[in-house]
Amino acid sequence: MRSRDKVKKMAGAENGEIADAATDRPETPNSESQLSGDGDKPERLSKLPLTRIKAMMKMDPDVTLASQESVLLISKATELFIESLAKEAYVHARQGKRKTLQKKDIDNSIEELDSFAFLEGTLD
């Protein structure tokens, strides 16, 4: 097969597969960045900085060691908590015909839900 034919064959690879020029067979994606197709970095397990969370955990005098698994668990729990508070505050913002969250939306969410009762007075 001539080199032009190989280039045409590589350009016409079906199903999003990448053709391997040396063997004329589709190359299977082997990294997460190839799987996503956009060349971005693989998705992180946590959106929050784990080193800072670990440092905050160690501020407690009762905590001497914090395993990586426990830091990740605290991070995910924090993300879920922030997400639930933000969603509830967004409901209040939409009731006020706004798309931007304001402090009063978070205050209203804290006052309305019993699960956020421990936060009362924190934004004052």
Side-chain angles (χ1 to χ4, degrees):
M1 188 180 293
R2 294 186 333 189
S3 62
R4 281 189 193 165
D5 294 335
K6 284 184 179 181
V7 171
K8 288 179 184 177
K9 186 175 182 179
M10 285 179 7
E14 296 178 6
N15 300 329
E17 297 171 334
I18 304 165
D20 186 0
T23 60
D24 290 332
R25 61 189 159 109
E27 179 182 306
T28 56
N30 58 0
S31 71
E32 197 163 326
S33 62
Q34 284 181 337
L35 289 175
S36 64
D38 55 6
D40 290 340
K41 293 180 183 178
E43 187 176 331
R44 292 177 45 179
L45 294 175
S46 175
K47 295 176 185 169
L48 300 174
L50 297 178
T51 53
R52 289 193 185 189
I53 291 173
K54 188 171 188 170
M56 285 188 257
M57 288 172 66
K58 286 189 171 187
M59 286 180 179
D60 186 351
D62 296 335
V63 176
T64 55
L65 292 174
S67 68
Q68 197 63 24
E69 291 85 10
S70 65
V71 174
L72 186 61
L73 182 66
I74 295 293
S75 173
K76 290 305 272 184
T78 304
E79 287 176 23
L80 292 173
F81 171 74
I82 292 170
E83 182 180 345
S84 67
L85 180 60
K87 282 182 180 180
E88 187 60 36
Y90 185 70
V91 169
H92 289 281
R94 294 300 291 171
Q95 288 173 351
K97 295 182 174 58
R98 292 177 283 107
K99 290 184 179 179
T100 305
L101 292 180
Q102 295 177 352
K103 182 183 173 213
K104 64 183 177 181
D105 300 320
I106 297 171
D107 279 334
N108 291 338
S109 299
I110 291 171
E111 290 174 12
E112 185 177 297
L113 292 175
D114 292 336
S115 59
F116 296 138
F118 70 97
L119 293 172
E120 288 182 7
T122 56
L123 295 178
D124 295 334

